[in-house]
Amino acid sequence: MDLICFSHLRWDFVLQRPQHLLTRFISSYRVFYIEEPVFDSSNDHLTFTNFSNVWVVKMHLQGDRNEQDILPRQKELLSSLFRKMDIVKYFFWYYSPMALPLGENLNPEIIIYDCMDELANFRFAPTELKELEEALINRSDLVFTGGESLFNKKKHLHSRVYCFPSSIDKKHFNTAQNFIEDPPDQEKIPHPRLGYFGVLDERIDTTLIRQMAIKRKDWHFIFLGPITKISPESLPKEKNIHYLGNKDYKILPEYLSGWDIALMPFAINESTEFISPTKTPEYLAAHKPVISTPIKDVVTPYGKLNLVNIASTADEFISAAEKELKSDRGEWKKNVNTFLSNTSWDITFQNMHQLIKEQFSLKSHNTTFKEFA
């Protein structure tokens, strides 16, 4: 049995939910991760790269995305993938509803839609995305959601919708408690340090960041991550704001270790209405105090359990930070450890896989029953 995943995210961009889950599914299936096409070639062809035993497949197309025959050309490349890799029995795993037409003539054992974001709310979302997502949900056997707010929105659309919020590799981020030396590009930045790692895009409240930096010129604000969908010039340029670029997932704990406070300065807009930031438990596993804007999936459960500070304005962020800088957080650390004890990507994978195996069994039973009848 092979797992064929269709995703809008580049495998080597930022390590997040797809990588955490699919690298665990390789214990039971061959996994093929099919990215959106790139238009960089004089002839249509595929390239394969093996990352942690996941086959990452790139479709290289000639011309541009406005060509009328893009879909049939992609289908032909997908057929060549199936022939080349001897893919016979398989199931589909979708992150992107936009890929639904690509597999419409194939016959997967089951279809899974792992809805990690409300993509239709993101900047530059295709106009047909909502319609395709509706079709994908109707065709799916299982629907997973990346957080409670997404679950509440999708649960009435399908009989088998399950909530799997952002999880964590605790062992990896626990190491942030042990580093002594800073990475070279961070070591000369003075304390207090307030940091953020993740994609810098339309979900970040640049006004809030600028106001905090201006109000507290003696504090230093560190940002790690790629800039996408917004102009770098739109980011605040105060002297106490430091953009250190994208960092490999493996070394994030080294940077996080040197911060005094971890930030989640998300804008409150359409693109953040249903997000469930993976960085929330990652920050907590490092035992760093966290301050976030009132993102629904952060307020519940983290804010209500007093694990994360919730703030809406620059003054509220600053007030929360001042209190945290004076706190020993002994009791808070115990509460964090208790909360995270039942959270891991391994647990998420196991629970998802159990549902998948049940779905295989159900389909096999139904098929046998029909044949007998």
Side-chain angles (χ1 to χ4, degrees), residues 155-213:
K155 63 183 179 181
H156 67 285
L157 301 177
H158 194 281
S159 61
R160 301 199 70 191
V161 182
Y162 300 89
C163 182
F164 289 102
S166 295
S167 199
I168 184 178
D169 180 350
K170 284 195 294 289
K171 183 178 180 180
H172 182 59
F173 284 95
N174 280 160
T175 62
Q177 301 174 38
N178 304 323
F179 287 107
I180 298 175
E181 294 186 5
D182 264 318
D185 57 347
Q186 182 172 274
E187 64 181 353
K188 294 182 180 179
I189 298 175
H191 290 265
R193 297 171 180 167
L194 294 81
Y196 167 93
F197 60 67
V199 179
L200 297 168
D201 57 16
E202 78 271 24
R203 292 172 292 178
I204 297 298
D205 191 335
T206 55
T207 300
L208 174 64
I209 295 167
R210 181 180 293 107
Q211 290 173 345
M212 285 192 288

Side-chain angles (χ1 to χ4, degrees), residues 57-111:
V57 181
K58 289 185 184 291
M59 294 187 175
H60 299 266
L61 301 180
Q62 59 180 326
D64 59 52
R65 63 183 65 255
N66 296 317
E67 302 283 342
Q68 296 296 314
D69 60 347
I70 285 178
L71 181 57
R73 287 159 56 197
Q74 288 182 82
K75 286 182 176 180
E76 177 53 39
L77 287 177
L78 187 61
S79 295
S80 71
L81 168 68
F82 277 47
R83 292 191 299 269
K84 182 178 180 65
M85 303 303 288
D86 194 24
I87 299 171
V88 178
K89 196 173 184 180
Y90 54 91
F91 66 103
F92 284 166
W93 182 295
Y94 285 93
Y95 281 108
S96 172
M98 295 299 295
L100 181 62
L102 188 55
E104 61 187 357
N105 297 326
L106 297 171
N107 189 31
E109 297 293 316
I110 63 172
I111 295 176

Side-chain angles (χ1 to χ4, degrees), residues 127-145:
T127 55
E128 64 269 35
L129 183 56
K130 287 185 178 181
E131 182 179 346
L132 284 171
E133 185 189 52
E134 182 179 348
L136 174 56
I137 290 174
N138 288 336
R139 287 193 58 191
S140 294
D141 297 283
L142 295 169
V143 177
F144 303 146
T145 68

